[in-house]
Short mmCIF file of all heavy atoms in Angstrom, two decimals:
data_model
loop_
_atom_site.label_atom_id
_atom_site.label_comp_id
_atom_site.label_asym_id
_atom_site.label_seq_id
_atom_site.Cartn_x
_atom_site.Cartn_y
_atom_site.Cartn_z
N ARG L 1 7.68 -0.56 6.70
CA ARG L 1 6.80 0.57 6.37
C ARG L 1 6.36 0.50 4.91
O ARG L 1 7.05 -0.05 4.06
CB ARG L 1 7.53 1.89 6.63
CG ARG L 1 7.89 2.09 8.08
CD ARG L 1 8.81 3.27 8.28
NE ARG L 1 10.11 3.03 7.67
CZ ARG L 1 11.01 3.97 7.44
NH1 ARG L 1 10.75 5.22 7.76
NH2 ARG L 1 12.16 3.68 6.92
N GLU L 2 5.19 1.11 4.64
CA GLU L 2 4.79 1.18 3.23
C GLU L 2 5.17 2.55 2.66
O GLU L 2 5.13 3.56 3.36
CB GLU L 2 3.30 0.89 3.05
CG GLU L 2 2.31 1.74 3.79
CD GLU L 2 0.88 1.22 3.62
OE1 GLU L 2 0.33 1.35 2.51
OE2 GLU L 2 0.32 0.70 4.59
N PRO L 3 5.57 2.58 1.40
CA PRO L 3 6.08 3.82 0.81
C PRO L 3 5.00 4.88 0.60
O PRO L 3 3.84 4.57 0.40
CB PRO L 3 6.63 3.36 -0.55
CG PRO L 3 6.78 1.88 -0.45
CD PRO L 3 5.71 1.43 0.50
N SER L 4 5.46 6.13 0.65
CA SER L 4 4.63 7.29 0.33
C SER L 4 4.94 7.73 -1.10
O SER L 4 6.08 7.63 -1.56
CB SER L 4 4.95 8.41 1.31
OG SER L 4 4.59 9.66 0.79
N LEU L 5 3.92 8.22 -1.80
CA LEU L 5 4.13 8.62 -3.20
C LEU L 5 5.07 9.82 -3.33
O LEU L 5 5.74 9.98 -4.34
CB LEU L 5 2.79 8.97 -3.85
CG LEU L 5 1.85 7.78 -4.14
CD1 LEU L 5 0.56 8.29 -4.77
CD2 LEU L 5 2.52 6.76 -5.04
N GLY L 6 5.14 10.68 -2.28
CA GLY L 6 6.03 11.85 -2.36
C GLY L 6 7.48 11.45 -2.60
O GLY L 6 8.09 11.81 -3.62
N PRO L 7 8.08 10.67 -1.68
CA PRO L 7 9.46 10.21 -1.90
C PRO L 7 9.61 9.33 -3.15
O PRO L 7 10.63 9.37 -3.83
CB PRO L 7 9.77 9.42 -0.63
CG PRO L 7 8.86 9.99 0.40
CD PRO L 7 7.61 10.35 -0.33
N CYS L 8 8.57 8.51 -3.45
CA CYS L 8 8.66 7.62 -4.62
C CYS L 8 8.87 8.40 -5.91
O CYS L 8 9.61 7.97 -6.79
CB CYS L 8 7.41 6.76 -4.75
SG CYS L 8 7.39 5.34 -3.64
N PHE L 9 8.20 9.55 -6.01
CA PHE L 9 8.34 10.37 -7.21
C PHE L 9 9.40 11.45 -7.05
O PHE L 9 9.59 12.29 -7.92
CB PHE L 9 6.99 10.99 -7.59
CG PHE L 9 6.02 10.01 -8.16
CD1 PHE L 9 4.88 9.64 -7.47
CD2 PHE L 9 6.26 9.42 -9.40
CE1 PHE L 9 4.00 8.71 -7.99
CE2 PHE L 9 5.39 8.50 -9.93
CZ PHE L 9 4.24 8.14 -9.23
N GLY L 10 10.09 11.44 -5.90
CA GLY L 10 11.16 12.40 -5.65
C GLY L 10 12.51 11.75 -5.80
O GLY L 10 12.66 10.68 -6.40
N ILE L 11 13.52 12.38 -5.20
CA ILE L 11 14.90 11.90 -5.37
C ILE L 11 15.12 10.55 -4.68
O ILE L 11 15.96 9.75 -5.11
CB ILE L 11 15.90 12.96 -4.84
CG1 ILE L 11 17.32 12.65 -5.34
CG2 ILE L 11 15.85 13.05 -3.33
CD1 ILE L 11 18.29 13.76 -5.10
N LYS L 12 14.33 10.25 -3.64
CA LYS L 12 14.55 9.02 -2.88
C LYS L 12 14.12 7.78 -3.65
O LYS L 12 14.71 6.71 -3.52
CB LYS L 12 13.81 9.11 -1.54
CG LYS L 12 14.22 8.01 -0.58
CD LYS L 12 13.61 8.20 0.78
CE LYS L 12 14.07 7.11 1.74
NZ LYS L 12 13.34 7.11 3.00
N GLY L 13 13.04 7.88 -4.41
CA GLY L 13 12.55 6.71 -5.13
C GLY L 13 11.76 5.78 -4.23
O GLY L 13 11.30 6.16 -3.16
N GLY L 14 11.59 4.54 -4.70
CA GLY L 14 10.74 3.57 -4.00
C GLY L 14 11.34 3.08 -2.70
O GLY L 14 12.48 3.37 -2.37
N ALA L 15 10.55 2.29 -1.97
CA ALA L 15 10.98 1.82 -0.65
C ALA L 15 10.63 0.35 -0.46
O ALA L 15 10.11 -0.04 0.57
CB ALA L 15 10.33 2.67 0.43
N ALA L 16 10.90 -0.45 -1.50
CA ALA L 16 10.60 -1.88 -1.41
C ALA L 16 11.89 -2.70 -1.49
O ALA L 16 11.89 -3.85 -1.88
CB ALA L 16 9.64 -2.29 -2.53
N GLY L 17 13.01 -2.09 -1.07
CA GLY L 17 14.29 -2.78 -1.15
C GLY L 17 14.95 -2.55 -2.50
O GLY L 17 14.55 -1.68 -3.26
N GLY L 18 15.99 -3.35 -2.78
CA GLY L 18 16.71 -3.17 -4.05
C GLY L 18 17.48 -4.41 -4.44
O GLY L 18 17.74 -5.30 -3.62
N GLY L 19 17.84 -4.47 -5.71
CA GLY L 19 18.60 -5.61 -6.21
C GLY L 19 17.85 -6.91 -6.00
O GLY L 19 16.67 -7.02 -6.33
N TYR L 20 18.54 -7.89 -5.39
CA TYR L 20 17.93 -9.19 -5.14
C TYR L 20 17.40 -9.31 -3.71
O TYR L 20 17.17 -10.41 -3.23
CB TYR L 20 18.93 -10.31 -5.48
CG TYR L 20 19.13 -10.42 -6.97
CD1 TYR L 20 20.19 -9.77 -7.60
CD2 TYR L 20 18.22 -11.12 -7.76
CE1 TYR L 20 20.35 -9.83 -8.98
CE2 TYR L 20 18.38 -11.19 -9.14
CZ TYR L 20 19.43 -10.55 -9.74
OH TYR L 20 19.58 -10.61 -11.11
N ALA L 21 17.23 -8.17 -3.07
CA ALA L 21 16.59 -8.13 -1.74
C ALA L 21 15.42 -7.15 -1.84
O ALA L 21 15.48 -6.02 -1.37
CB ALA L 21 17.58 -7.70 -0.67
N GLN L 22 14.37 -7.59 -2.51
CA GLN L 22 13.21 -6.75 -2.76
C GLN L 22 11.93 -7.42 -2.31
O GLN L 22 11.84 -8.64 -2.21
CB GLN L 22 13.08 -6.45 -4.26
CG GLN L 22 14.10 -5.51 -4.83
CD GLN L 22 13.70 -5.01 -6.21
OE1 GLN L 22 12.68 -4.33 -6.35
NE2 GLN L 22 14.49 -5.32 -7.22
N VAL L 23 10.92 -6.56 -2.07
CA VAL L 23 9.57 -7.03 -1.78
C VAL L 23 8.73 -6.80 -3.03
O VAL L 23 8.84 -5.77 -3.69
CB VAL L 23 8.98 -6.27 -0.57
CG1 VAL L 23 7.57 -6.75 -0.27
CG2 VAL L 23 9.86 -6.46 0.65
N VAL L 24 7.91 -7.80 -3.36
CA VAL L 24 7.09 -7.72 -4.57
C VAL L 24 5.64 -8.04 -4.23
O VAL L 24 5.37 -8.69 -3.21
CB VAL L 24 7.62 -8.72 -5.65
CG1 VAL L 24 8.91 -8.21 -6.27
CG2 VAL L 24 7.84 -10.12 -5.07
N PRO L 25 4.67 -7.54 -5.05
CA PRO L 25 4.82 -6.79 -6.29
C PRO L 25 5.29 -5.36 -6.05
O PRO L 25 4.56 -4.56 -5.45
CB PRO L 25 3.42 -6.82 -6.90
CG PRO L 25 2.49 -7.02 -5.74
CD PRO L 25 3.25 -7.84 -4.74
N MET L 26 6.49 -5.06 -6.51
CA MET L 26 7.17 -3.81 -6.20
C MET L 26 6.38 -2.58 -6.66
O MET L 26 6.23 -1.61 -5.92
CB MET L 26 8.57 -3.80 -6.82
CG MET L 26 9.39 -2.56 -6.53
SD MET L 26 9.19 -1.27 -7.76
CE MET L 26 10.21 -1.90 -9.07
N GLU L 27 5.85 -2.61 -7.89
CA GLU L 27 5.14 -1.42 -8.39
C GLU L 27 3.89 -1.16 -7.55
O GLU L 27 3.58 -0.01 -7.23
CB GLU L 27 4.71 -1.61 -9.86
CG GLU L 27 5.87 -1.77 -10.82
CD GLU L 27 6.09 -3.24 -11.17
OE1 GLU L 27 6.02 -4.09 -10.25
OE2 GLU L 27 6.34 -3.53 -12.34
N ASP L 28 3.17 -2.21 -7.18
CA ASP L 28 1.95 -2.03 -6.38
C ASP L 28 2.29 -1.42 -5.02
O ASP L 28 1.63 -0.49 -4.56
CB ASP L 28 1.25 -3.38 -6.15
CG ASP L 28 0.69 -3.97 -7.43
OD1 ASP L 28 1.04 -3.47 -8.51
OD2 ASP L 28 -0.09 -4.92 -7.35
N ILE L 29 3.32 -1.98 -4.37
CA ILE L 29 3.71 -1.51 -3.03
C ILE L 29 4.10 -0.04 -3.08
O ILE L 29 3.74 0.75 -2.21
CB ILE L 29 4.86 -2.37 -2.47
CG1 ILE L 29 4.37 -3.80 -2.23
CG2 ILE L 29 5.40 -1.79 -1.17
CD1 ILE L 29 5.48 -4.81 -2.06
N ASN L 30 4.84 0.36 -4.12
CA ASN L 30 5.32 1.74 -4.24
C ASN L 30 4.24 2.71 -4.72
O ASN L 30 4.41 3.92 -4.60
CB ASN L 30 6.51 1.80 -5.19
CG ASN L 30 7.81 1.43 -4.51
OD1 ASN L 30 8.05 1.83 -3.37
ND2 ASN L 30 8.65 0.67 -5.16
N LEU L 31 3.15 2.20 -5.27
CA LEU L 31 2.11 3.10 -5.78
C LEU L 31 0.88 3.06 -4.85
O LEU L 31 0.97 3.45 -3.71
CB LEU L 31 1.77 2.75 -7.23
CG LEU L 31 2.95 2.98 -8.20
CD1 LEU L 31 2.63 2.46 -9.59
CD2 LEU L 31 3.32 4.46 -8.26
N HIS L 32 -0.26 2.57 -5.31
CA HIS L 32 -1.48 2.69 -4.50
C HIS L 32 -1.65 1.55 -3.51
O HIS L 32 -2.43 1.66 -2.56
CB HIS L 32 -2.71 2.77 -5.41
CG HIS L 32 -2.61 3.86 -6.42
ND1 HIS L 32 -2.76 5.18 -6.10
CD2 HIS L 32 -2.34 3.83 -7.76
CE1 HIS L 32 -2.61 5.92 -7.18
NE2 HIS L 32 -2.34 5.13 -8.19
N PHE L 33 -0.95 0.44 -3.73
CA PHE L 33 -0.97 -0.74 -2.85
C PHE L 33 -2.41 -1.15 -2.54
O PHE L 33 -3.18 -1.40 -3.46
CB PHE L 33 -0.14 -0.44 -1.60
CG PHE L 33 0.34 -1.67 -0.86
CD1 PHE L 33 0.45 -2.90 -1.50
CD2 PHE L 33 0.71 -1.60 0.47
CE1 PHE L 33 0.90 -4.02 -0.83
CE2 PHE L 33 1.17 -2.72 1.16
CZ PHE L 33 1.26 -3.93 0.51
N THR L 34 -2.79 -1.21 -1.27
CA THR L 34 -4.16 -1.60 -0.92
C THR L 34 -5.01 -0.39 -0.51
O THR L 34 -6.09 -0.55 0.06
CB THR L 34 -4.16 -2.64 0.22
OG1 THR L 34 -3.46 -2.09 1.33
CG2 THR L 34 -3.49 -3.94 -0.22
N GLY L 35 -4.51 0.81 -0.78
CA GLY L 35 -5.30 2.01 -0.54
C GLY L 35 -5.22 2.60 0.86
O GLY L 35 -5.96 3.53 1.18
N ASP L 36 -4.31 2.07 1.70
CA ASP L 36 -4.22 2.56 3.09
C ASP L 36 -3.96 4.06 3.15
O ASP L 36 -4.61 4.79 3.91
CB ASP L 36 -3.08 1.85 3.84
CG ASP L 36 -3.32 0.36 4.01
OD1 ASP L 36 -4.47 -0.07 3.81
OD2 ASP L 36 -2.36 -0.35 4.33
N ILE L 37 -2.99 4.51 2.37
CA ILE L 37 -2.60 5.93 2.46
C ILE L 37 -3.72 6.82 1.92
O ILE L 37 -3.95 7.93 2.42
CB ILE L 37 -1.25 6.17 1.77
CG1 ILE L 37 -0.15 5.43 2.56
CG2 ILE L 37 -0.91 7.66 1.69
CD1 ILE L 37 1.26 5.58 2.02
N HIS L 38 -4.45 6.35 0.92
CA HIS L 38 -5.59 7.12 0.42
C HIS L 38 -6.69 7.22 1.48
O HIS L 38 -7.34 8.26 1.62
CB HIS L 38 -6.14 6.47 -0.86
CG HIS L 38 -5.18 6.47 -1.99
ND1 HIS L 38 -4.44 7.58 -2.35
CD2 HIS L 38 -4.80 5.49 -2.85
CE1 HIS L 38 -3.65 7.29 -3.38
NE2 HIS L 38 -3.84 6.02 -3.69
N ALA L 39 -6.89 6.14 2.24
CA ALA L 39 -7.89 6.17 3.32
C ALA L 39 -7.49 7.17 4.40
O ALA L 39 -8.33 7.90 4.94
CB ALA L 39 -8.06 4.78 3.92
N ILE L 40 -6.19 7.21 4.71
CA ILE L 40 -5.69 8.16 5.70
C ILE L 40 -5.85 9.58 5.19
O ILE L 40 -6.24 10.50 5.94
CB ILE L 40 -4.21 7.84 6.04
CG1 ILE L 40 -4.15 6.53 6.85
CG2 ILE L 40 -3.54 8.98 6.81
CD1 ILE L 40 -2.78 5.92 6.93
#
């Protein structure tokens, strides 16, 4: 799944994995990414 900005800026934080098991570019994925959520 792609992250939503609500949880990213809340207590849950990002959703691109953690430590050495992460998806990158992490900041892009957790923020505007390719604009899917804005289109929705």
